[in-house]
Amino acid sequence: MVAGENLVDLPVTDDWGAGAYVTATVIRPMDVPAGQNPARALGLAHAAVDPGRRALSARFDMPATAEPRGALPVTLQIDGIAAGETAHATIAAVDLGILNLTGFAAPDPSGHYFGQRRLGMAMRDVYGRLIDGQNGQRGALRSGGDRTAPGGFAAPPPTEAPVAFFAGPLQAGPDGTVTARFDLPSFNGTVRLMAVAWSDSGVGQASAELLVRDPVVVAATLPRFLAPGDRSRLLLELTHTSGPAGDMALEVAADGITLDRAALPATVRLDAAGTARIAVPLTADAAGLHRIAVALITPDGRRLTKSLTLPVVANDPAIAQPDRFTLDPQSTFTFDANVFAGFRPGTGAATIAAGPVARLNVPGLLAALDRYPYGCTEQVTSRALPLLYLDEVARAMGLGTRDQLGQRIDESIERVLANQSRNGAFGLWRPGSGDLWLDAYVTDFLSRARAQGHAVPDVAFQGALDNLRNRVNAAPDFDRGGTGIAYALYVLAREGMASIADLRYYADVKGEAFATPLASAQIGAALAAYGDPERADRLFAQAQQQILRRPTAERRAWRADYGSYHRDSAAVLTLAAEAGSQAVDRDLVLARIRTSSRYLSTQEQVWTLLAAHALLRDTAATRLLVDGAPPDGPIVYAADAGTAFAPIEIRNIGTAPATVTLTRFGVPEPPEPSGGEGYFIERAYFTMDGAPADLSQPVATGTRLIAVLTVTPSVAAEARLMVNDPLPAGFEIDNPNLLSGGDIRALDWLDVETEVQASQFLADRFLAAIDWRTNRPFRLAYIVRAVAPGSYHHPAPLVEDMYRPAYRAIGETGRITVTE
């Protein structure tokens, strides 16, 4: 701090008038003459009043209480607006309980901009002048917590509608009044109103709490979700707060839920300020999002209602079952509800395709990607990439309108960019670097999205390209491999940023060193983009030979490019068709693509779809009728077991057979038995003291247990594994920190694997991604608490190789009972 240096603007005292600010300059105490004003005695000098900067005074002008299930008018009064200026404001109304979860404080712009701050310390360095941040060298930058990228699994919806409203920006009237209106649900509790006001020369804020309640507060407690066949209870707590007391009629209605009417009284007597508690046993029927309506009629005739939502979900491992068959001339196939046979009610879904799109099962693969539950950077990219080209098929399947599909692509762009590091590279589960193939794959998606008109931030896209170029320039020589380099050069060539000399060097000198057919084809595609068809065709022919020379059985070795034989074949077809090369025998390579497999990785699905898009224009349509009329687009349909639909008839009126592909999704009935291919998974529970817990015996509410998952590979294999352990509805995860080591010192007897790539602790399941390259077993653990009395289905745990999903294992199902 230096004498004479301007530091901060401070509010002036009342002596100088409200609403103005001064600029303070530090001086030494010995420089303050005797008798000066207090500001100088505090070490401030040269106080200059700036009447142009003001504090706005804002307050809410409304009653302190309100009733639910109606309109809530909100009035904000702003004072201190300078002449000739217009003020604006935003207003939020949020349940205080939600805010208390994170200790959220009301916004305070006046304090932020003009509040007193203690002296701080800052550090500066000149590394940015010494080291080029874009030099492409590998490094590690880590900050913040271990946040997992969000996946496709969504938490069950809340049983009651949350109160969280926002309005603005709103313009104040000439008298400084701002009004808003919020429609309150059947909510009882405290709502915090928060406002931020501003004008050209000032800011202000207001906060107030509003009590929202009925004369009789109806509180309801339900499990967060149930499985079909679960038995639990609806706990109603009725509290009298005002108005007439006495006998009150009680009504409860539900759909998809069976209530024990014998435990439900027709009337309830409430004394003044009294409370009554009623437990209503219930049983979940079919899967679906079900409603429970509660109504209480007070002695003066007021009807107080509460609407509850109870999800009933089947969290057992689901399967995909594709079936391809031939529709003979003059034959008909009917697509109706019989396609859901063999699946648990309410869980089935199906797609059907006929004609050209059926050959590679386009709708089935699109639906599988749409249902894919996990969400690393590669998987988010793979779910969005086909929508760039197959939006017509996606719309025909009901996956969304054109605008909705475009929004999904834009959201995917945002999600993958959230995992981009400062050097332009991408991490699989969080910002990271070092995975060149992943960098190229994401940049390929961003390049294709930009070409289709989607907005990709220039800085982020240029950073991604610079990272690829730097990595290629710094790449070491190789005798076998080059998958990341080939993909990076292909993407750079798409953008006109590759060096033709580099492409010719890798084609002429290192061509036979590329380890995969996809890498060879990517160099060929890059050369074709630069107008060198001779070298391009040689590389495409080499890629085909690599496909044909491969053995039938694929080794379970680690692949840095997330690939498989199937993926490579589909990708070679795609690139050759896009480049217009005839060096690849399409029928020969197409025969290597196994679209009838029950288990395909996201890479296999996305490149098969891209191959279908590239080949569709070369395939003649078969003469088919849909419900007696010629189709006006691709013959693709999708249906869900939870939604009624009219049967669809597909008839072949031609002279040649037509291909039809039916793909069914859902939880099989009966469930798949325990066991699997390549792995074993076992789930056990222990008490907090380390003793085995027997869940065949009832568990008391509030009991904490340790869930331990043991995964044992049957042979030595290298894989990116996902462990998925669904919870029974009566349990909730109690301590997410155990896996990451938060409590491991107290429970070191577990011998738990903590080096996981990502983990998620959801309301209905535990997820962990782990890279495992040995045949040693490993353990994962987390703590649960019994929270809701009842009898619950316990779905089986699942472990699967995300990029060879045929290698998977299912554990044992069970049933638990939670008592009071």
Side-chain angles (χ1 to χ4, degrees), residues 278-627:
I278 303 168
V280 184
L282 56 82
T283 302
D285 299 330
L289 189 62
H290 302 301
R291 308 284 180 181
I292 299 177
V294 181
L296 186 73
I297 295 89
T298 63
D300 58 355
R302 296 190 59 180
R303 186 179 182 86
L304 310 178
T305 62
K306 178 175 284 292
S307 179
L308 306 171
T309 300
L310 181 57
V312 177
V313 294
N315 282 334
D316 299 86
I319 63 169
Q321 195 172 73
D323 296 301
R324 178 184 295 175
F325 55 92
T326 298
L327 188 63
D328 293 327
Q330 308 306 314
S331 298
T332 301
F333 175 78
T334 301
F335 181 61
D336 56 20
N338 290 323
V339 299
F340 304 128
F343 292 100
R344 186 171 298 175
T347 70
T351 66
I352 190 168
V357 294
R359 187 177 187 184
L360 291 177
N361 192 17
V362 171
L365 297 182
L366 272 177
L369 282 174
D370 184 66
R371 297 167 62 93
Y372 193 78
Y374 312 126
C376 72
T377 303
E378 183 278 326
Q379 292 154 358
V380 172
T381 302
S382 295
R383 292 180 67 186
L385 183 52
L387 299 180
L388 294 171
Y389 304 106
L390 296 166
D391 63 316
E392 183 181 6
V393 177
R395 283 186 280 116
M397 293 171 56
L399 296 183
T401 63
R402 187 183 300 274
D403 291 341
Q404 289 171 336
L405 294 173
Q407 183 178 356
R408 288 178 57 175
I409 295 171
D410 293 338
E411 291 172 352
S412 298
I413 292 171
E414 293 179 5
R415 288 183 61 182
V416 298
L417 291 180
N419 286 343
Q420 186 178 30
S421 298
R422 293 174 59 187
N423 66 348
F426 295 88
L428 191 60
W429 295 99
R430 62 188 62 84
S433 61
D435 190 337
L436 178 56
W437 198 94
L438 179 66
D439 295 345
Y441 182 55
V442 177
T443 310
D444 187 11
F445 164 60
L446 297 177
S447 172
R448 292 172 182 262
R450 280 170 62 99
Q452 294 285 335
H454 292 272
V456 179
D458 291 338
V459 173
F461 186 62
Q462 190 59 48
L465 292 173
D466 288 343
N467 169 65
L468 295 185
R469 185 166 51 188
N470 292 331
R471 290 293 303 276
V472 168
N473 292 339
D477 194 18
F478 62 92
D479 295 324
R480 186 70 175 166
T483 55
I485 295 173
Y487 204 166
L489 286 169
Y490 165 71
V491 176
L492 290 172
R494 281 179 57 95
E495 295 296 322
M497 296 177 61
S499 166
I500 186 63
D502 287 346
L503 293 175
R504 289 171 176 169
Y505 166 78
Y506 282 109
D508 297 341
V509 179
K510 308 299 294 185
E512 296 184 359
F514 287 111
T516 67
L518 174 56
S520 300
Q522 284 166 335
I523 296 296
L527 288 164
Y530 272 28
D532 192 342
E534 181 179 348
R535 284 186 174 88
D537 285 347
R538 176 162 54 85
L539 268 296
F540 279 123
Q542 174 180 301
Q544 177 174 297
Q545 289 303 311
Q546 288 175 290
I547 291 173
L548 299 179
R549 287 198 303 262
R550 281 177 160 175
T552 303
E554 185 172 2
R555 290 179 57 244
R556 294 175 59 193
W558 184 268
R559 285 194 60 166
D561 63 351
Y562 307 84
S564 65
Y565 287 0
H566 177 138
R567 193 283 308 271
D568 289 348
S569 299
V572 169
L573 269 180
T574 302
L575 297 176
E578 289 179 344
S581 174
Q582 301 301 316
V584 173
D585 186 328
R586 300 182 183 182
D587 290 332
L588 192 62
V589 176
L590 193 61
R592 298 299 181 105
I593 300 177
R594 45 182 181 83
T595 56
S596 60
S597 173
R598 290 176 61 184
Y599 305 113
L600 294 178
S601 72
T602 50
Q603 278 291 299
E604 292 168 337
Q605 291 166 346
V606 68
W607 285 102
T608 302
L609 288 170
L610 294 180
H613 170 260
L615 297 175
L616 275 179
R617 56 179 176 265
D618 298 333
T619 308
T622 311
R623 296 186 63 195
L624 298 170
L625 298 180
V626 178
D627 290 337

Side-chain angles (χ1 to χ4, degrees), residues 662-679:
L662 173 68
T663 306
R664 305 187 300 155
F665 306 89
V667 176
E669 184 71 16
E672 289 190 293
S674 61
E677 179 72 25
Y679 297 93

Side-chain angles (χ1 to χ4, degrees), residues 753-775:
E753 182 65 39
T754 59
E755 294 297 323
V756 297
Q757 297 301 310
S759 59
Q760 284 186 295
F761 304 87
L762 305 178
D764 64 343
R765 71 187 64 239
F766 160 76
L767 298 171
I770 182 170
D771 294 345
W772 202 249
R773 306 193 187 196
T774 75
N775 61 351

